[in-house]
Amino acid sequence: MDPFADTLQRLREAFVSGRTRPAEFRASQLKGLSRFLRENKQLLQEALAQDLHKATQLDSAFIRKEPFGLVLILSPWNYPLNLSLGPLVGALAAGNCVVLKPSEISKSTEKVLAEVLPRYVDQSCFAVVLGGPQETGRLLEHKFDYIFFTGNPQVGKIVMTAAAKHLTPVTLELGGKNPCYVDDNCDPQTVANRVAFFRCFNAGQTCVAPDYVLCSPEMQARLVPALQSAITRFYGDDPQSSPDLGRIISEKHFQRLRGLLSCGRVVIGGQSDESDLYIAPTVLVDVQETDPVMQEEIFGPILPIVNVRSLGQAIDFINRREKPLALYAFSNSSQVVKRILAQTSSGGFCGNDGFMHLTLASLPFGGVGSSGMGSYHGKFSFDTFSHHRACLLRPPGLEKIYAIRYPPHTPRNLRV
Ligand code: NAD
């Protein structure tokens, strides 16, 4: 018998019910805490006595943002320059020394980062190291003061396990399946333009790409021709010859994606060419929740459409799965967008567009749950790579005032 199971389930159910979210509820809980302190003053006084009667107005309190020390940055292949330099800017700006380990899969960028980049920074504080999983495993045996990892959730677990051995803090920028809800009241062509563009950007190899569409069968019937029209406008009748459509990074990922083309029914695209690592922009319908294409992050130009009967059903579908890195909601009704925002959780959110939220330096970028932890971009990068040291400077004198803290805590002593 698990002694904690009932309690944990009760609290989780309360959280899912949404009752902790309204401002009134939160205020009432804080008022309860305040009453607890007031009504139990006598009871608590003994325990708290040594912290009472401070003269903190003479102190100076501040946060000192300090570099952690030696930082490890592990980056992926899909935006190999951006996802190496982005974290690097934050780490260097905060004053850290950095080891950068770029992805071994994006070989050409890895080479430039290893051979050219070090000439532009002080090499006594910066190093690029090379290697794949095996070498990275050995690197992770060393103690770092901070690890910033971008990659898939499985490798994220390996990184976090290694970091735990040294109690090293981590930021994990991971991936997952990003839902895209499309309401019945939308203009299908506008939605199709935006979804097709963001799905096919970098041949779909983007961590925040809309991974699948949730909509009614009626909206699907209007959306499919609109997606076909958008894809033809963007990439022509023969997308393989378009200079604007990328290729799949490797044979391994190509084979994985080709396998996913057999899920559901192909209504757009479906072609592939192994010699060119080409997968056509593809739309799948009649997709079931249990199909392989709905089990893993697609990371390619394939868009499954899953039918839901209502907004509530779409929200349940999203909440049954791991928390995504990004969530997209298309609707002409701001109430619908706000309801999805309020009743789900995701790293980031964008209403009526693709991943524009991550282009703003004023917003933190990061995941939640299995899509990651921590965030960066803009000022948040500096903060991520800094230890926030809480400091208080007290004048050396005034010992008479502070003497009240010291035992013995007799009534006589307290009157001093
Ligand atoms: P990956 O996890 O395979 O590789 C990332 C880094 O980890 C690489 O440097 C690689 O050499 C290293 N690595 C790989 N396997 C390892 C192992 N077994 N032990 C130790 N190190 C290992 O990821 P990827 O395939 O390069 O990139 C795709 C994934 O990254 C997708 O899941 C995508 O969603 C995610 N991603 C997330 C973001 C984000 O900002 N949240 C951005 C881009 C990509």
Side-chain angles (χ1 to χ4, degrees), residues 75-78 83 101-104 131-133 136-137 149-153 155 158 173-175 207 297 299 325 365:
S75 56
W77 52 261
N78 64 328
L83 295 175
K101 211 291 300 170
S103 172
E104 74 287 6
T136 311
F149 170 78
T150 307
N152 85 57
V155 181
I158 295 173
E173 297 282 344
L174 310 177
C207 56
E297 179 182 12
F299 231 54
L325 183 59
F365 174 69

Side-chain angles (χ1 to χ4, degrees), residues 128-385:
V128 177
V129 302
L130 305 181
Q134 204 183 344
E135 293 79 6
T136 311
R138 290 191 58 194
L139 181 63
L140 284 167
E141 287 170 12
H142 293 267
K143 180 173 165 55
F144 292 92
D145 300 302
Y146 201 90
I147 299 177
F148 188 102
F149 170 78
T150 307
N152 85 57
Q154 289 314 319
V155 181
K157 288 179 190 171
I158 295 173
V159 170
M160 196 170 172
T161 303
K165 296 215 168 90
H166 300 289
L167 290 178
T168 298
V170 292
T171 291
L172 301 178
E173 297 282 344
L174 310 177
K177 293 184 80 64
N178 306 311
C180 177
Y181 174 72
V182 182
D183 199 3
D184 276 348
N185 62 16
C186 292
D187 171 44
Q189 195 57 62
T190 303
V191 176
N193 294 344
R194 296 177 188 186
V195 172
F197 172 66
F198 285 104
R199 172 71 279 188
C200 296
F201 196 89
N202 203 26
Q205 300 164 119
T206 304
C207 56
V208 280
D211 187 274
Y212 61 94
V213 163
L214 288 172
C215 70
S216 68
E218 294 74 28
M219 175 42 85
Q220 176 182 302
R222 299 160 68 206
L223 200 55
V224 168
L227 284 165
Q228 177 69 77
S229 152
I231 289 167
T232 308
R233 240 180 311 118
F234 297 164
Y235 307 114
D237 289 327
D238 174 22
Q240 189 167 6
S241 60
S242 162
D244 294 313
L245 187 69
R247 292 295 183 265
I248 305 308
I249 183 77
S250 66
E251 173 78 26
K252 184 176 141 213
H253 281 284
F254 172 85
Q255 296 299 352
R256 180 183 63 77
L257 288 165
R258 190 149 72 174
L260 297 181
L261 292 174
S262 59
C263 298
R265 183 163 57 90
V266 172
V267 283
I268 298 174
Q271 304 81 1
S272 60
D273 179 351
E274 188 171 350
S275 66
D276 191 22
L277 296 181
Y278 166 75
I279 301 273
T282 297
V283 176
L284 304 172
V285 297
D286 299 342
V287 171
Q288 303 304 313
E289 196 174 345
T290 47
D291 286 343
V293 77
M294 290 306 294
Q295 304 308 311
E296 60 182 82
E297 179 182 12
I298 296 172
F299 231 54
I302 302 173
L303 181 72
I305 301 181
V306 176
N307 287 149
V308 283
R309 284 270 156 214
S310 65
L311 175 57
Q313 209 183 59
I315 290 172
D316 286 348
F317 188 96
I318 293 165
N319 288 338
R320 271 205 305 278
R321 313 175 77 89
E322 297 287 4
K323 293 180 180 179
L325 183 59
L327 176 51
Y328 303 103
F330 288 82
S331 176
N332 286 342
S333 157
S334 62
Q335 293 309 314
V336 168
V337 173
K338 283 183 187 158
R339 182 170 158 205
I340 296 181
L341 184 54
Q343 295 184 358
T344 58
S345 174
S346 62
F349 182 92
C350 184
N352 289 311
D353 209 355
F355 43 84
M356 292 310 293
H357 58 291
L358 75 80
T359 63
L360 303 182
S362 55
L363 294 179
F365 174 69
V368 60
S370 82
S371 59
M373 62 184 70
S375 59
Y376 72 129
H377 282 192
K379 173 70 160 46
F380 303 99
S381 293
F382 181 87
D383 287 344
T384 285
F385 285 104

